[in-house]
Amino acid sequence: MESSSSATKQECELRRGLQEEEFFLHYQPRMNIRTGEMMGAEALVRWSHPEYGVVYPDTFIPLAETTGLIIPLGEEVLRQACLQHKEWEMQGLGSIVVSVNFSPRQIYESGIVENVATILHETGMDPKFLEIEITENVMIDVDHVLGSLRGFKALGVSISLDDFGTGYSSLSYLKNLPIDKLKIDQSFVFTSTSDMNDQSLVKTIIAIGHQLNLGVVAEGVETREHLVLLQRNLCEEAQGYLFSKPVPASVFKEQMRVWEGM
Ligand code: C2E
Ligand code: CA
Ligand code: CA
Ligand code: CA
């Protein structure tokens, strides 16, 4: 257990990092695996810490959530992603969909829809190119969340359900919530070619998605075998180290042709 004083110290660090604008984004391509086209990018936050170097989100997102600092951090992330999309648009790559992760805490925040609307407006980002990724854990309080999700949809933003299959798997909310896509959790994809139960799960999730008219994205696609399995089962999109790790925006643009040739 960490002492409360060290937790407070970490909180001060987070606050300082936000103040000093030390957070930045990497982008991981999302491929249409039917056509081979690169069609989107997931934005993933990193912290360029003056002492520790690049710090990954699993180490600071939980603290950002419990302290509420996820609210300003989330706004910063969204603003950077929208500005990056604008830049790509000016370079002629405008049809890329950028997806941004939102924590449950952000979705529950009152005024979240207005905040997103303001950032879209200020950056000039076309909402149809923004996708918000939420996790199943957000469904702990479905009634509360429904208003926010409907608000996002009304703005013209799309919504995907991340890490699908790992959380509160009640299939009933799938048909009641205004979501557009399911993202198959990477833990199922990793073992889909070695573990027959996980393979069945992957196939079932794709079938459920299609039955409900939802798009299906697989993440954690690391091998050709993973890809072939997904293609055979008519999954639309995939993301993973087979194509690319998350990279800085500058590298992302350079790599585009290489990915599409894969
Ligand atoms: P996630 O949204 O499920 O993102 C996928 C994670 O898997 C990313 O880790 C990504 O780098 C990694 N990944 C992608 N493809 C592969 C693969 O083929 N193999 C393996 N082994 N890993 C792969 P990352 O960037 O460290 O992010 C971890 C988590 O932190 C994310 O999981 C997400 O829950 C959270 N996160 C990241 N950025 C943000 C953000 O801006 N806001 C919020 N609220 N959460 C974020
Ligand atoms: Ca995600
Ligand atoms: Ca995920
Ligand atoms: Ca995850």
Short mmCIF file of all heavy atoms in Angstrom, two decimals, residues 125-183:
data_model
loop_
_atom_site.label_atom_id
_atom_site.label_comp_id
_atom_site.label_asym_id
_atom_site.label_seq_id
_atom_site.Cartn_x
_atom_site.Cartn_y
_atom_site.Cartn_z
N MET A 125 -13.14 21.10 -35.57
CA MET A 125 -13.18 19.68 -35.95
C MET A 125 -14.60 19.29 -36.38
O MET A 125 -15.56 19.58 -35.67
CB MET A 125 -12.76 18.85 -34.74
CG MET A 125 -13.08 17.38 -34.82
SD MET A 125 -11.64 16.50 -35.37
CE MET A 125 -12.21 14.81 -35.30
N ASP A 126 -14.69 18.59 -37.50
CA ASP A 126 -15.99 18.08 -37.96
C ASP A 126 -16.35 16.86 -37.10
O ASP A 126 -15.62 15.87 -37.10
CB ASP A 126 -15.85 17.70 -39.44
CG ASP A 126 -17.15 17.21 -40.03
OD1 ASP A 126 -18.07 16.85 -39.27
OD2 ASP A 126 -17.24 17.17 -41.27
N PRO A 127 -17.47 16.93 -36.35
CA PRO A 127 -17.82 15.86 -35.41
C PRO A 127 -17.92 14.47 -36.05
O PRO A 127 -17.73 13.46 -35.36
CB PRO A 127 -19.20 16.25 -34.87
CG PRO A 127 -19.44 17.64 -35.32
CD PRO A 127 -18.46 18.01 -36.37
N LYS A 128 -18.20 14.42 -37.34
CA LYS A 128 -18.37 13.08 -37.93
C LYS A 128 -17.05 12.32 -38.01
O LYS A 128 -17.05 11.12 -38.26
CB LYS A 128 -19.09 13.16 -39.27
CG LYS A 128 -18.32 13.66 -40.43
CD LYS A 128 -19.12 13.34 -41.72
CE LYS A 128 -18.40 13.74 -42.98
NZ LYS A 128 -18.70 15.10 -43.43
N PHE A 129 -15.93 13.01 -37.77
CA PHE A 129 -14.64 12.32 -37.77
C PHE A 129 -14.13 12.00 -36.36
O PHE A 129 -13.01 11.56 -36.18
CB PHE A 129 -13.59 13.12 -38.54
CG PHE A 129 -13.91 13.23 -40.00
CD1 PHE A 129 -14.16 14.46 -40.59
CD2 PHE A 129 -13.98 12.08 -40.78
CE1 PHE A 129 -14.48 14.55 -41.94
CE2 PHE A 129 -14.30 12.16 -42.13
CZ PHE A 129 -14.54 13.40 -42.72
N LEU A 130 -14.97 12.28 -35.37
CA LEU A 130 -14.58 11.96 -33.99
C LEU A 130 -15.36 10.75 -33.48
O LEU A 130 -16.57 10.65 -33.66
CB LEU A 130 -14.84 13.15 -33.06
CG LEU A 130 -14.53 12.90 -31.57
CD1 LEU A 130 -13.03 12.66 -31.35
CD2 LEU A 130 -15.01 14.06 -30.71
N GLU A 131 -14.61 9.84 -32.85
CA GLU A 131 -15.25 8.70 -32.21
C GLU A 131 -14.83 8.69 -30.74
O GLU A 131 -13.66 8.89 -30.43
CB GLU A 131 -14.78 7.42 -32.90
CG GLU A 131 -15.51 6.19 -32.47
CD GLU A 131 -15.16 5.01 -33.37
OE1 GLU A 131 -15.44 5.06 -34.59
OE2 GLU A 131 -14.60 4.04 -32.86
N ILE A 132 -15.78 8.47 -29.86
CA ILE A 132 -15.48 8.38 -28.43
C ILE A 132 -15.49 6.92 -28.02
O ILE A 132 -16.43 6.19 -28.34
CB ILE A 132 -16.51 9.20 -27.62
CG1 ILE A 132 -16.29 10.70 -27.89
CG2 ILE A 132 -16.41 8.89 -26.12
CD1 ILE A 132 -17.30 11.62 -27.20
N GLU A 133 -14.42 6.47 -27.36
CA GLU A 133 -14.35 5.09 -26.88
C GLU A 133 -14.67 5.07 -25.39
O GLU A 133 -14.01 5.73 -24.60
CB GLU A 133 -12.95 4.49 -27.10
CG GLU A 133 -12.57 4.42 -28.56
CD GLU A 133 -11.38 3.50 -28.85
OE1 GLU A 133 -10.85 2.87 -27.92
OE2 GLU A 133 -10.99 3.45 -30.04
N ILE A 134 -15.70 4.29 -25.05
CA ILE A 134 -16.04 4.13 -23.64
C ILE A 134 -15.88 2.66 -23.30
O ILE A 134 -15.88 1.81 -24.18
CB ILE A 134 -17.49 4.59 -23.35
CG1 ILE A 134 -18.49 3.75 -24.16
CG2 ILE A 134 -17.66 6.07 -23.68
CD1 ILE A 134 -19.95 4.02 -23.81
N THR A 135 -15.74 2.34 -22.00
CA THR A 135 -15.64 0.93 -21.63
C THR A 135 -16.94 0.48 -20.98
O THR A 135 -17.76 1.29 -20.57
CB THR A 135 -14.48 0.67 -20.65
OG1 THR A 135 -14.75 1.40 -19.45
CG2 THR A 135 -13.15 1.10 -21.23
N GLU A 136 -17.07 -0.83 -20.90
CA GLU A 136 -18.29 -1.40 -20.33
C GLU A 136 -18.51 -0.96 -18.89
O GLU A 136 -19.64 -0.95 -18.42
CB GLU A 136 -18.21 -2.93 -20.36
CG GLU A 136 -18.41 -3.50 -21.73
CD GLU A 136 -18.30 -5.01 -21.67
OE1 GLU A 136 -17.19 -5.51 -21.44
OE2 GLU A 136 -19.33 -5.67 -21.83
N ASN A 137 -17.43 -0.62 -18.18
CA ASN A 137 -17.56 -0.22 -16.78
C ASN A 137 -18.44 1.00 -16.59
O ASN A 137 -18.94 1.24 -15.50
CB ASN A 137 -16.18 0.08 -16.17
CG ASN A 137 -15.32 -1.15 -16.17
OD1 ASN A 137 -15.84 -2.26 -16.21
ND2 ASN A 137 -14.01 -0.97 -16.14
N VAL A 138 -18.60 1.75 -17.65
CA VAL A 138 -19.42 2.94 -17.59
C VAL A 138 -20.90 2.59 -17.35
O VAL A 138 -21.69 3.40 -16.90
CB VAL A 138 -19.22 3.75 -18.90
CG1 VAL A 138 -20.19 3.32 -19.97
CG2 VAL A 138 -19.30 5.23 -18.65
N MET A 139 -21.23 1.32 -17.61
CA MET A 139 -22.63 0.89 -17.54
C MET A 139 -23.11 0.61 -16.13
O MET A 139 -24.24 0.19 -15.93
CB MET A 139 -22.85 -0.38 -18.38
CG MET A 139 -22.38 -0.25 -19.80
SD MET A 139 -23.00 1.25 -20.56
CE MET A 139 -21.95 1.32 -21.98
N ILE A 140 -22.23 0.83 -15.14
CA ILE A 140 -22.64 0.64 -13.75
C ILE A 140 -23.90 1.46 -13.48
O ILE A 140 -24.78 1.06 -12.76
CB ILE A 140 -21.49 1.04 -12.79
CG1 ILE A 140 -20.34 0.05 -12.96
CG2 ILE A 140 -21.98 1.08 -11.36
CD1 ILE A 140 -19.05 0.49 -12.31
N ASP A 141 -23.95 2.61 -14.10
CA ASP A 141 -25.12 3.47 -13.93
C ASP A 141 -25.66 3.87 -15.31
O ASP A 141 -25.39 4.96 -15.81
CB ASP A 141 -24.71 4.71 -13.12
CG ASP A 141 -25.89 5.59 -12.77
OD1 ASP A 141 -27.01 5.31 -13.27
OD2 ASP A 141 -25.70 6.56 -12.02
N VAL A 142 -26.41 2.96 -15.90
CA VAL A 142 -26.85 3.13 -17.29
C VAL A 142 -27.70 4.38 -17.49
O VAL A 142 -27.52 5.12 -18.46
CB VAL A 142 -27.61 1.89 -17.80
CG1 VAL A 142 -28.14 2.11 -19.20
CG2 VAL A 142 -26.70 0.68 -17.81
N ASP A 143 -28.59 4.63 -16.54
CA ASP A 143 -29.50 5.77 -16.69
C ASP A 143 -28.73 7.08 -16.78
O ASP A 143 -29.02 7.94 -17.59
CB ASP A 143 -30.47 5.86 -15.49
CG ASP A 143 -31.41 4.68 -15.48
OD1 ASP A 143 -31.59 4.07 -16.56
OD2 ASP A 143 -31.94 4.35 -14.40
N HIS A 144 -27.71 7.15 -15.91
CA HIS A 144 -26.89 8.34 -15.85
C HIS A 144 -26.13 8.59 -17.16
O HIS A 144 -25.99 9.70 -17.64
CB HIS A 144 -25.89 8.15 -14.70
CG HIS A 144 -25.27 9.42 -14.23
ND1 HIS A 144 -24.94 9.64 -12.93
CD2 HIS A 144 -24.93 10.54 -14.89
CE1 HIS A 144 -24.42 10.85 -12.81
NE2 HIS A 144 -24.40 11.41 -14.00
N VAL A 145 -25.68 7.46 -17.74
CA VAL A 145 -24.80 7.53 -18.89
C VAL A 145 -25.55 7.78 -20.20
O VAL A 145 -25.05 8.37 -21.14
CB VAL A 145 -24.00 6.19 -18.91
CG1 VAL A 145 -24.22 5.40 -20.15
CG2 VAL A 145 -22.55 6.48 -18.67
N LEU A 146 -26.79 7.34 -20.20
CA LEU A 146 -27.58 7.42 -21.42
C LEU A 146 -27.70 8.85 -21.95
O LEU A 146 -27.57 9.10 -23.14
CB LEU A 146 -28.97 6.81 -21.14
CG LEU A 146 -29.78 6.36 -22.34
CD1 LEU A 146 -28.98 5.39 -23.20
CD2 LEU A 146 -31.06 5.68 -21.85
N GLY A 147 -27.90 9.79 -21.02
CA GLY A 147 -28.03 11.20 -21.40
C GLY A 147 -26.79 11.71 -22.12
O GLY A 147 -26.89 12.36 -23.17
N SER A 148 -25.61 11.38 -21.55
CA SER A 148 -24.36 11.82 -22.17
C SER A 148 -24.19 11.21 -23.55
O SER A 148 -23.83 11.88 -24.51
CB SER A 148 -23.15 11.43 -21.31
OG SER A 148 -23.25 12.00 -20.04
N LEU A 149 -24.46 9.89 -23.64
CA LEU A 149 -24.25 9.22 -24.93
C LEU A 149 -25.20 9.78 -25.99
O LEU A 149 -24.80 10.02 -27.14
CB LEU A 149 -24.43 7.70 -24.78
CG LEU A 149 -23.46 7.00 -23.83
CD1 LEU A 149 -23.58 5.49 -23.94
CD2 LEU A 149 -22.01 7.42 -24.08
N ARG A 150 -26.43 10.02 -25.60
CA ARG A 150 -27.38 10.62 -26.56
C ARG A 150 -26.93 12.01 -26.97
O ARG A 150 -27.07 12.40 -28.13
CB ARG A 150 -28.79 10.68 -25.96
CG ARG A 150 -29.42 9.31 -25.91
CD ARG A 150 -30.89 9.41 -25.48
NE ARG A 150 -31.50 8.10 -25.50
CZ ARG A 150 -32.38 7.67 -24.58
NH1 ARG A 150 -32.73 8.46 -23.59
NH2 ARG A 150 -32.89 6.47 -24.67
N GLY A 151 -26.37 12.75 -25.99
CA GLY A 151 -25.85 14.08 -26.29
C GLY A 151 -24.71 14.03 -27.30
O GLY A 151 -24.67 14.83 -28.25
N PHE A 152 -23.79 13.07 -27.12
CA PHE A 152 -22.68 12.93 -28.07
C PHE A 152 -23.21 12.62 -29.47
O PHE A 152 -22.77 13.18 -30.47
CB PHE A 152 -21.71 11.81 -27.66
CG PHE A 152 -20.96 12.06 -26.37
CD1 PHE A 152 -20.67 11.01 -25.50
CD2 PHE A 152 -20.52 13.34 -26.03
CE1 PHE A 152 -19.98 11.22 -24.32
CE2 PHE A 152 -19.83 13.56 -24.85
CZ PHE A 152 -19.56 12.50 -23.99
N LYS A 153 -24.18 11.69 -29.50
CA LYS A 153 -24.75 11.31 -30.80
C LYS A 153 -25.41 12.51 -31.48
O LYS A 153 -25.30 12.68 -32.69
CB LYS A 153 -25.78 10.18 -30.64
CG LYS A 153 -25.21 8.85 -30.21
CD LYS A 153 -24.27 8.26 -31.24
CE LYS A 153 -25.01 7.87 -32.52
NZ LYS A 153 -24.06 7.38 -33.54
N ALA A 154 -26.08 13.33 -30.67
CA ALA A 154 -26.75 14.51 -31.23
C ALA A 154 -25.75 15.50 -31.81
O ALA A 154 -26.05 16.23 -32.75
CB ALA A 154 -27.60 15.18 -30.16
N LEU A 155 -24.52 15.49 -31.27
CA LEU A 155 -23.46 16.35 -31.82
C LEU A 155 -22.94 15.82 -33.15
O LEU A 155 -22.27 16.52 -33.88
CB LEU A 155 -22.27 16.44 -30.85
CG LEU A 155 -22.46 17.14 -29.51
CD1 LEU A 155 -21.18 17.03 -28.68
CD2 LEU A 155 -22.82 18.61 -29.73
N GLY A 156 -23.22 14.53 -33.41
CA GLY A 156 -22.72 13.92 -34.66
C GLY A 156 -21.47 13.09 -34.46
O GLY A 156 -20.82 12.67 -35.41
N VAL A 157 -21.14 12.84 -33.17
CA VAL A 157 -19.96 12.05 -32.83
C VAL A 157 -20.37 10.57 -32.76
O VAL A 157 -21.50 10.27 -32.40
CB VAL A 157 -19.44 12.53 -31.45
CG1 VAL A 157 -18.38 11.63 -30.88
CG2 VAL A 157 -18.95 13.98 -31.54
N SER A 158 -19.47 9.65 -33.11
CA SER A 158 -19.84 8.24 -32.96
C SER A 158 -19.21 7.65 -31.69
O SER A 158 -18.30 8.22 -31.10
CB SER A 158 -19.50 7.43 -34.20
OG SER A 158 -18.13 7.51 -34.47
N ILE A 159 -19.74 6.51 -31.28
CA ILE A 159 -19.35 5.92 -29.99
C ILE A 159 -19.00 4.45 -30.17
O ILE A 159 -19.74 3.70 -30.81
CB ILE A 159 -20.51 6.04 -28.97
CG1 ILE A 159 -20.87 7.53 -28.75
CG2 ILE A 159 -20.16 5.38 -27.64
CD1 ILE A 159 -22.17 7.76 -28.03
N SER A 160 -17.87 4.05 -29.59
CA SER A 160 -17.56 2.61 -29.60
C SER A 160 -17.39 2.10 -28.18
O SER A 160 -17.00 2.84 -27.27
CB SER A 160 -16.34 2.31 -30.46
OG SER A 160 -15.20 2.92 -29.92
N LEU A 161 -17.71 0.84 -28.01
CA LEU A 161 -17.62 0.19 -26.70
C LEU A 161 -16.33 -0.62 -26.67
O LEU A 161 -16.20 -1.64 -27.33
CB LEU A 161 -18.86 -0.69 -26.52
CG LEU A 161 -19.18 -1.19 -25.12
CD1 LEU A 161 -19.22 -0.05 -24.11
CD2 LEU A 161 -20.52 -1.92 -25.13
N ASP A 162 -15.37 -0.09 -25.89
CA ASP A 162 -14.01 -0.63 -25.82
C ASP A 162 -13.94 -1.84 -24.88
O ASP A 162 -14.80 -2.00 -24.02
CB ASP A 162 -13.11 0.49 -25.27
CG ASP A 162 -11.65 0.33 -25.63
OD1 ASP A 162 -11.28 -0.68 -26.26
OD2 ASP A 162 -10.88 1.24 -25.28
N ASP A 163 -12.90 -2.65 -25.03
CA ASP A 163 -12.63 -3.78 -24.14
C ASP A 163 -13.85 -4.69 -24.01
O ASP A 163 -14.12 -5.23 -22.93
CB ASP A 163 -12.22 -3.30 -22.74
CG ASP A 163 -10.97 -2.43 -22.76
OD1 ASP A 163 -10.31 -2.37 -23.81
OD2 ASP A 163 -10.69 -1.79 -21.73
N PHE A 164 -14.59 -4.83 -25.10
CA PHE A 164 -15.86 -5.56 -25.01
C PHE A 164 -15.63 -7.01 -24.61
O PHE A 164 -14.77 -7.69 -25.14
CB PHE A 164 -16.63 -5.49 -26.33
CG PHE A 164 -17.99 -6.13 -26.23
CD1 PHE A 164 -19.01 -5.50 -25.53
CD2 PHE A 164 -18.23 -7.37 -26.79
CE1 PHE A 164 -20.26 -6.09 -25.40
CE2 PHE A 164 -19.48 -7.97 -26.66
CZ PHE A 164 -20.49 -7.33 -25.97
N GLY A 165 -16.44 -7.46 -23.66
CA GLY A 165 -16.35 -8.84 -23.21
C GLY A 165 -15.63 -8.99 -21.88
O GLY A 165 -15.60 -10.07 -21.30
N THR A 166 -15.06 -7.90 -21.37
CA THR A 166 -14.29 -8.02 -20.13
C THR A 166 -15.03 -7.47 -18.91
O THR A 166 -14.62 -7.69 -17.78
CB THR A 166 -12.94 -7.26 -20.20
OG1 THR A 166 -13.21 -5.88 -20.43
CG2 THR A 166 -12.08 -7.80 -21.32
N GLY A 167 -16.08 -6.70 -19.14
CA GLY A 167 -16.70 -6.00 -18.01
C GLY A 167 -18.09 -6.47 -17.69
O GLY A 167 -18.35 -7.68 -17.63
N TYR A 168 -18.96 -5.53 -17.50
CA TYR A 168 -20.34 -5.82 -17.14
C TYR A 168 -21.12 -6.26 -18.38
O TYR A 168 -21.80 -5.48 -19.00
CB TYR A 168 -20.99 -4.58 -16.54
CG TYR A 168 -20.50 -4.28 -15.16
CD1 TYR A 168 -19.26 -3.68 -14.96
CD2 TYR A 168 -21.28 -4.61 -14.05
CE1 TYR A 168 -18.80 -3.43 -13.68
CE2 TYR A 168 -20.83 -4.34 -12.78
CZ TYR A 168 -19.59 -3.76 -12.60
OH TYR A 168 -19.14 -3.49 -11.35
N SER A 169 -20.95 -7.54 -18.71
CA SER A 169 -21.50 -8.00 -19.97
C SER A 169 -22.99 -8.32 -19.90
O SER A 169 -23.38 -9.47 -19.84
CB SER A 169 -20.75 -9.23 -20.46
OG SER A 169 -19.41 -8.88 -20.65
N SER A 170 -23.79 -7.29 -19.89
CA SER A 170 -25.21 -7.52 -20.03
C SER A 170 -25.57 -7.16 -21.45
O SER A 170 -25.37 -6.03 -21.90
CB SER A 170 -25.98 -6.65 -19.05
OG SER A 170 -27.28 -6.46 -19.54
N LEU A 171 -26.07 -8.15 -22.16
CA LEU A 171 -26.35 -7.91 -23.58
C LEU A 171 -27.54 -6.98 -23.78
O LEU A 171 -27.69 -6.37 -24.82
CB LEU A 171 -26.58 -9.23 -24.31
CG LEU A 171 -25.33 -10.10 -24.42
CD1 LEU A 171 -25.67 -11.41 -25.13
CD2 LEU A 171 -24.21 -9.38 -25.16
N SER A 172 -28.34 -6.82 -22.71
CA SER A 172 -29.55 -6.02 -22.89
C SER A 172 -29.22 -4.54 -23.17
O SER A 172 -29.90 -3.89 -23.93
CB SER A 172 -30.45 -6.12 -21.67
OG SER A 172 -29.79 -5.56 -20.56
N TYR A 173 -28.12 -4.04 -22.55
CA TYR A 173 -27.84 -2.63 -22.80
C TYR A 173 -27.33 -2.37 -24.21
O TYR A 173 -27.42 -1.28 -24.73
CB TYR A 173 -26.91 -2.01 -21.76
CG TYR A 173 -25.51 -2.57 -21.69
CD1 TYR A 173 -24.64 -2.46 -22.76
CD2 TYR A 173 -25.04 -3.16 -20.51
CE1 TYR A 173 -23.36 -2.96 -22.69
CE2 TYR A 173 -23.76 -3.65 -20.44
CZ TYR A 173 -22.93 -3.55 -21.53
OH TYR A 173 -21.67 -4.04 -21.45
N LEU A 174 -26.81 -3.42 -24.82
CA LEU A 174 -26.29 -3.24 -26.18
C LEU A 174 -27.35 -2.74 -27.14
O LEU A 174 -27.08 -1.96 -28.03
CB LEU A 174 -25.74 -4.56 -26.71
CG LEU A 174 -24.30 -4.87 -26.39
CD1 LEU A 174 -23.87 -6.14 -27.10
CD2 LEU A 174 -23.39 -3.71 -26.77
N LYS A 175 -28.57 -3.25 -26.94
CA LYS A 175 -29.60 -2.81 -27.87
C LYS A 175 -30.25 -1.49 -27.44
O LYS A 175 -30.89 -0.84 -28.24
CB LYS A 175 -30.64 -3.90 -28.13
CG LYS A 175 -31.48 -4.31 -26.95
CD LYS A 175 -32.47 -5.37 -27.44
CE LYS A 175 -33.62 -5.69 -26.53
NZ LYS A 175 -33.56 -5.50 -25.13
N ASN A 176 -30.02 -1.11 -26.19
CA ASN A 176 -30.63 0.14 -25.70
C ASN A 176 -29.74 1.36 -25.80
O ASN A 176 -30.21 2.48 -25.74
CB ASN A 176 -31.07 -0.03 -24.24
CG ASN A 176 -32.12 -1.11 -24.10
OD1 ASN A 176 -32.96 -1.28 -24.99
ND2 ASN A 176 -32.07 -1.87 -23.02
N LEU A 177 -28.44 1.12 -25.90
CA LEU A 177 -27.53 2.27 -25.91
C LEU A 177 -27.21 2.71 -27.34
O LEU A 177 -27.14 1.90 -28.25
CB LEU A 177 -26.22 1.89 -25.22
CG LEU A 177 -26.27 1.76 -23.71
CD1 LEU A 177 -24.91 1.31 -23.20
CD2 LEU A 177 -26.67 3.07 -23.05
N PRO A 178 -27.01 4.02 -27.52
CA PRO A 178 -26.73 4.52 -28.87
C PRO A 178 -25.27 4.34 -29.26
O PRO A 178 -24.55 5.31 -29.45
CB PRO A 178 -27.09 6.01 -28.74
CG PRO A 178 -26.81 6.34 -27.32
CD PRO A 178 -27.09 5.10 -26.52
N ILE A 179 -24.81 3.09 -29.34
CA ILE A 179 -23.42 2.87 -29.74
C ILE A 179 -23.34 2.39 -31.18
O ILE A 179 -24.28 1.83 -31.73
CB ILE A 179 -22.69 1.88 -28.80
CG1 ILE A 179 -23.48 0.58 -28.67
CG2 ILE A 179 -22.43 2.48 -27.44
CD1 ILE A 179 -22.74 -0.46 -27.88
N ASP A 180 -22.17 2.64 -31.79
CA ASP A 180 -21.98 2.33 -33.20
C ASP A 180 -21.10 1.11 -33.43
O ASP A 180 -21.21 0.45 -34.45
CB ASP A 180 -21.32 3.54 -33.90
CG ASP A 180 -22.14 4.80 -33.72
OD1 ASP A 180 -23.16 4.91 -34.41
OD2 ASP A 180 -21.80 5.64 -32.86
N LYS A 181 -20.18 0.86 -32.47
CA LYS A 181 -19.19 -0.19 -32.69
C LYS A 181 -18.84 -0.93 -31.42
O LYS A 181 -18.89 -0.35 -30.34
CB LYS A 181 -17.88 0.44 -33.20
CG LYS A 181 -17.87 0.68 -34.67
CD LYS A 181 -16.59 1.36 -35.09
CE LYS A 181 -16.80 1.95 -36.49
NZ LYS A 181 -15.71 2.85 -36.85
N LEU A 182 -18.41 -2.18 -31.60
CA LEU A 182 -17.84 -2.95 -30.50
C LEU A 182 -16.36 -3.13 -30.78
O LEU A 182 -15.97 -3.43 -31.90
CB LEU A 182 -18.47 -4.35 -30.43
CG LEU A 182 -19.96 -4.47 -30.18
CD1 LEU A 182 -20.33 -5.96 -30.13
CD2 LEU A 182 -20.32 -3.78 -28.87
N LYS A 183 -15.55 -2.97 -29.74
CA LYS A 183 -14.13 -3.30 -29.88
C LYS A 183 -13.85 -4.57 -29.07
O LYS A 183 -14.00 -4.57 -27.85
CB LYS A 183 -13.25 -2.16 -29.36
CG LYS A 183 -13.21 -0.97 -30.29
CD LYS A 183 -12.14 0.03 -29.87
CE LYS A 183 -10.79 -0.25 -30.48
NZ LYS A 183 -9.84 0.89 -30.28
#
